[in-house]
Amino acid sequence: MELTLKLKDVLNLNNALKAIIDEIDIDALLKFRLLGIMKEIENHVTNFNLICNEKISEFGTRDEEGNITIPSEDKEAIRKFNDVMRKVTDSEVSINVTKIKSKEIFSKGIKSEYLIWLYPIIEE
């Protein structure tokens, strides 16, 4: 099923999936399904990280060790970076996933915070 979500929701979904897979003892079938969803959204996450790094380079400065960061005292650079990244994270993307049945996920000891992030891919 093709879903249209905001990129920020896809990023939250990715973080929740990663945490569930790494931190919670779930059965092999559910882990396999969650890994498949992660694989489906991987390009969106990778593209976001590329854009984020590009914008840090654009708005940031290089320190003595050669690392590029946006200094906390450079309010204008932070504002510009946040404005650009907000537009990116508010953009819509399409993902193609098979939704997870609520009975497959609700009884697995998963934190409510993660379930909220998974909500777009859960069905009754």
Side-chain angles (χ1 to χ4, degrees):
M1 162 181 279
E2 186 167 304
L3 296 173
T4 301
L5 300 171
K6 292 200 180 275
L7 179 59
K8 63 184 166 190
D9 296 327
V10 171
L11 297 171
N12 285 335
L13 176 60
N14 184 67
N15 290 334
L17 291 169
K18 188 181 296 187
I20 292 166
I21 290 167
D22 291 345
E23 300 170 11
I24 300 171
D25 185 25
I26 55 175
D27 62 76
L29 180 58
L30 181 56
K31 185 178 275 191
F32 179 77
R33 297 218 32 228
L34 297 180
L35 285 168
I37 295 168
M38 279 187 77
K39 186 69 175 160
E40 173 62 31
I41 64 178
E42 180 179 38
N43 285 340
H44 296 301
V45 174
T46 299
N47 290 343
F48 169 78
N49 288 332
L50 286 171
I51 296 296
C52 186
N53 290 333
E54 181 181 284
K55 293 304 169 186
I56 289 171
S57 293
E58 180 180 335
F59 298 118
T61 56
R62 190 174 304 274
D63 64 16
E64 298 82 34
E65 291 86 37
N67 300 315
I68 300 174
T69 59
I70 301 175
S72 59
E73 62 274 359
D74 190 346
K75 303 298 184 202
E76 183 63 17
I78 291 172
R79 185 193 61 74
K80 288 179 181 178
F81 174 81
N82 287 337
D83 287 348
V84 169
M85 295 312 296
R86 189 173 303 109
K87 288 177 185 172
V88 173
T89 59
D90 284 343
S91 68
E92 291 187 340
V93 296
S94 294
I95 60 172
N96 190 12
V97 297
T98 301
K99 288 191 169 192
I100 299 170
K101 303 269 187 229
S102 59
K103 65 182 179 182
E104 294 176 289
I105 196 108
F106 285 159
S107 62
K108 302 299 182 186
I110 297 171
K111 295 178 185 179
S112 59
E113 173 186 3
Y114 300 151
L115 291 173
I116 289 171
W117 291 345
L118 295 178
Y119 190 79
I121 62 164
I122 297 174
E123 67 181 2
E124 288 191 39

